[in-house]
Amino acid sequence: MKKIIIVLTTIAFIIIGCKEKTKISKTTPLQSYTDSLFQVGVDSSQIAGASVLVYQNGKTLIKKTYGYASLELSVPVPEDGVFEIGSVTKQFTAAAILKLVEEKKLALNDDFTKYLEFDTKGRKVTIDNLLNHTSGIPSYTAMAEFGELMIQDLPRDSLVRLVESKAFMFEPGEALIYNNSAYFFLGLVIEKVTGQTYEAYLKETFFDPLEMTSTSYSSNIEIAKNKVYGYGYSPDGLKQKRYLNHLWPYAAGSLSSSTKDLLIWMTALHQGKVLSENLYQSLITPGQLKDGSNIHYAKALTNSSDFGNHRIGHGGGINGFLTDTRYYPDEDLYIICLVNTTGPKGASYFADEISWQLLDKNEPQSIDLDIDTKLLEGKYTGAVRGSYTYSIEVKSISNGLTIQSERDEKADTLKTYMGNNTWADDNARIIIKNNEYRFVNPSAYYILKKEIE
């Protein structure tokens, strides 16, 4: 009898083993790569946890979570974990503005002071300028005063008056410097025009019709199902995120969501279920600066080449959380990554790694120099994100140039020359001519002027 039991037990283990092997064999190379990628991040304490969703041609390739929603309680990230999404909020704000345009309640060319009291010192700043970061208004998140304001409970007008007291960084339309103040103002415009709170308008207009049940305005006090905690990386180990009152990120960055809900949003948006075709094209089409230069930022979405691949998307960062959402229309590919840790390996790092498992990464190719780089030497100064007077030193070397910013200890060599006084730096372009240093990437267009002695 014992022999029979042993034989049956052995057969059972063989069957179970075969089933396990079958299960393992069904794991795709992409799934194995993604598992390893995130597990290394969790095991090395570079991230607490993450949620990722990869969707292509109507099929889910990856939908998984990794690590912990709470390190203190050793609670894993739930299947549809809710993360704060930071600046990914902005595309909901932009879509809301375009809905109001569709209803003829405002126009993109309207001066925003028609809806919000703000002294522009005689400048016209349009709703469109606010949407594409070309207003010249400084960003409150770069102001020293915001460090104290961010934890306080004050009227939102306090922040408007703070920004109003600062000088413009450039004249409207002359550059693109990423600007959270602009989207804060757009939230106030939405409330003024609709008579509803920003949160209520988004819920009624987008979240409820699309059944985005895990998406809401973040709260410091309300309990939200499946909400994960946020952390920050340090060499000494992960730490709890710094406190931030959600009065202030507002329409620039206060939404929370899940990968499931963000996929619902992104597919609906890009399949014409959110906006009419002409307004959708307005949302995703980048404009130009006053001098005719093309920018790559549209209205809360970048639209540009990602190493030769057409990409529309946006990232987000807020205390304790980093987010990346991207859509490659030519491949009908969506990648959504949410990480509950701010640090060196954020959502964009993981999204990049996954992207290049599915797409060809076409690095820019260098050609021979056809200019005298000695003529480009000098110090270039101007406004960039976080500074009114940022400077870069350009020096000529054998067959090239080096650049050293005031923030860097060492100079970098510009290696990839593309012709017409233009160098490639990954997806960014650096143009040095006519006594100007222009830095162009999907979310910036800085123009620094050469200091002439």
Side-chain angles (χ1 to χ4, degrees):
M1 187 69 180
K2 285 184 180 179
K3 288 183 180 179
I4 294 172
I5 292 171
I6 292 169
V7 170
L8 289 174
T9 303
T10 304
I11 292 170
F13 276 122
I14 291 170
I15 292 170
I16 291 169
C18 288
K19 285 184 177 178
E20 287 299 316
K21 285 179 182 178
T22 303
K23 195 182 292 183
I24 292 169
S25 67
K26 287 183 179 179
T27 301
T28 68
L30 178 65
Q31 290 169 338
S32 298
Y33 179 83
T34 303
D35 287 347
S36 175
L37 181 70
F38 281 97
Q39 200 58 53
V40 167
V42 173
D43 292 344
S44 62
S45 294
Q46 290 181 311
I47 62 170
S51 182
V52 62
L53 198 161
V54 181
Y55 184 85
Q56 186 173 33
N57 296 324
K59 181 181 178 183
T60 300
L61 305 185
I62 302 283
K63 187 179 185 300
K64 294 198 70 173
T65 62
Y66 302 89
Y68 298 96
S70 168
L71 290 172
E72 292 84 351
L73 301 175
S74 299
V75 174
V77 176
E79 181 181 355
D80 289 311
V82 174
F83 293 65
E84 294 181 23
I85 61 173
S87 286
V88 172
T89 298
K90 289 182 172 70
Q91 61 194 267
F92 294 92
T93 303
I97 288 289
L98 291 176
K99 277 288 189 185
L100 296 174
V101 170
E102 188 172 49
E103 295 167 7
K104 297 187 170 25
K105 292 181 178 178
L106 56 74
L108 293 176
N109 196 45
D110 283 346
D111 191 316
F112 87 97
T113 60
K114 179 178 177 182
Y115 309 98
L116 178 67
E117 182 184 339
F118 188 92
D119 185 3
T120 62
K121 308 297 190 294
R123 301 171 176 87
K124 180 179 179 180
V125 177
T126 67
I127 297 290
D128 199 46
N129 288 144
L130 297 181
L131 286 164
N132 60 28
H133 302 297
T134 59
S135 69
I137 294 170
S139 181
Y140 67 91
T141 49
M143 297 175 187
E145 296 92 331
F146 184 62
E148 294 183 8
L149 182 66
M150 66 188 285
I151 62 172
Q152 297 185 50
D153 195 356
L154 296 170
R156 286 203 168 107
D157 185 66
S158 306
L159 192 142
V160 178
R161 302 284 75 85
L162 170 63
V163 176
E164 185 181 47
S165 71
K166 305 296 183 181
F168 272 60
M169 301 191 78
F170 55 88
E171 292 303 308
E174 291 188 354
L176 189 168
I177 296 181
Y178 193 87
N179 179 359
N180 286 304
S181 300
Y183 275 79
F184 188 95
F185 294 170
L186 288 167
L188 295 174
V189 169
I190 291 167
E191 293 193 350
K192 174 74 172 180
V193 173
T194 65
Q196 297 177 266
T197 65
Y198 172 77
E199 178 181 5
Y201 183 74
L202 291 191
K203 188 174 188 300
E204 178 185 289
T205 308
F206 301 132
F207 305 156
D208 286 350
L210 293 173
E211 298 183 359
M212 296 172 64
T213 56
S214 297
T215 304
S216 64
Y217 195 98
S218 301
S219 173
N220 299 107
I221 57 174
E222 298 296 332
I223 295 171
K225 184 180 179 182
N226 289 333
K227 178 73 185 288
V228 307
Y229 295 177
Y231 299 90
Y233 170 83
S234 81
D236 300 323
L238 297 180
K239 311 291 184 184
Q240 288 189 0
K241 70 180 179 70
R242 291 180 63 203
Y243 177 79
L244 172 63
N245 189 327
H246 270 287
L247 269 171
W248 308 119
Y250 187 40
S254 270
L255 293 185
S256 290
S257 192
S258 64
T259 55
K260 177 185 175 181
D261 270 17
L262 288 172
L263 181 64
I264 291 171
W265 167 255
M266 291 170 69
T267 52
L269 182 68
H270 295 300
Q271 292 172 9
K273 297 175 183 177
V274 174
L275 297 169
S276 63
E277 178 60 21
N278 65 317
L279 287 176
Y280 170 72
Q281 289 303 322
S282 177
L283 179 76
I284 67 167
T285 303
Q288 293 183 325
L289 301 182
K290 277 185 175 179
D291 67 2
S293 300
N294 293 319
I295 59 177
H296 302 299
Y297 198 95
K299 296 175 177 66
L301 289 168
T302 61
N303 188 344
S304 60
S305 173
D306 184 10
F307 292 102
N309 300 274
H310 183 195
R311 171 176 154 188
I312 302 171
H314 210 285
I318 196 167
N319 293 12
F321 297 89
L322 292 171
T323 302
D324 193 291
T325 59
R326 55 183 69 182
Y327 169 54
Y328 295 95
D330 294 342
E331 291 79 19
D332 193 29
L333 171 65
Y334 298 82
I335 299 175
I336 302 163
C337 184
L338 311 176
V339 174
N340 64 334
T341 312
T342 50
K345 286 193 175 178
S348 295
Y349 163 80
F350 294 106
D352 280 342
E353 291 293 317
I354 293 168
S355 295
W356 306 130
Q357 293 297 306
L358 294 166
L359 305 171
D360 292 327
K361 186 177 183 181
N362 301 307
E363 302 276 3
Q365 299 300 307
S366 187
I367 65 172
D368 292 337
L369 280 168
D370 55 5
I371 54 174
D372 181 359
T373 55
K374 278 283 185 185
L375 300 175
L376 306 180
E377 285 192 327
K379 186 177 183 180
Y380 296 77
T381 303
V384 302
R385 188 176 183 183
S387 174
Y388 285 78
T389 56
Y390 179 78
S391 64
I392 282 181
E393 190 76 30
V394 176
K395 291 184 179 179
S396 177
I397 58 173
S398 175
N399 202 34
L401 285 173
T402 64
I403 58 170
Q404 183 168 4
S405 81
E406 60 184 32
R407 299 173 182 172
D408 297 325
E409 294 182 4
K410 297 191 300 182
D412 289 329
T413 302
L414 294 180
K415 298 176 181 177
T416 308
Y417 181 65
M418 303 183 69
N420 196 26
N421 289 66
T422 301
W423 285 262
D425 182 10
D426 290 335
N427 279 323
R429 298 294 180 265
I430 295 167
I431 307 160
I432 311 175
K433 63 181 178 180
N434 301 328
N435 294 323
E436 291 180 338
Y437 178 104
R438 295 182 175 228
F439 177 84
V440 188
N441 74 9
S443 58
Y445 199 117
Y446 305 147
I447 304 174
L448 312 182
K449 303 285 187 179
K450 187 174 183 178
E451 296 182 8
I452 308 297
E453 297 179 356

